[in-house]
Amino acid sequence: MLTRTRLFGGKTRVTFRLPAQVPVGTVSVVGDFNGWRPGTAELVQRRDGTRTVSISFPPGEHRFRYLATGGVWFDDEAADRIDPQGSLIRLE
């Protein structure tokens, strides 16, 4: 699930949210914004039973995917578009 919050300066904070144990293990958000490097945007366990990470983005299109323990890649159904290259969000 994705939550978008407009910030000053034209940026948007996007919060990436997943259930606490699905998938099992560590999950990172990787994409064009972090050079597709795992671990730089790792989801953190919250008290409400979810895992989240928030990232500030400039306007434009941004491609991302989730990478879980064991090399499991998956997309976010709440993305603006999903294609063979992954999830895509458009921010104004």
Side-chain angles (χ1 to χ4, degrees):
M1 180 164 91
L2 304 174
T3 304
R4 303 166 199 226
T5 306
R6 297 280 298 180
L7 303 173
F8 288 109
K11 291 193 172 194
T12 301
R13 180 177 57 230
V14 177
T15 300
F16 300 85
R17 183 179 318 274
L18 294 174
Q21 298 301 322
V22 180
V24 174
T26 302
V27 178
S28 293
V29 179
V30 294
D32 54 15
F33 57 90
N34 64 9
W36 296 93
R37 288 186 313 268
T40 59
E42 195 171 293
L43 281 80
V44 176
Q45 180 88 28
R46 304 294 176 197
R47 290 184 194 162
D48 67 359
T50 64
R51 292 179 282 183
T52 67
V53 66
S54 295
I55 302 168
S56 294
F57 290 95
E61 292 188 343
H62 304 279
R63 188 165 295 280
F64 73 95
R65 295 193 82 196
Y66 294 106
L67 178 59
T69 299
V72 177
W73 291 91
F74 60 101
D75 295 304
D76 195 313
E77 294 178 7
D80 295 325
R81 188 174 89 215
I82 299 173
D83 61 28
Q85 297 174 328
S87 301
L88 185 74
I89 53 174
R90 290 184 194 97
L91 303 170
E92 296 182 14

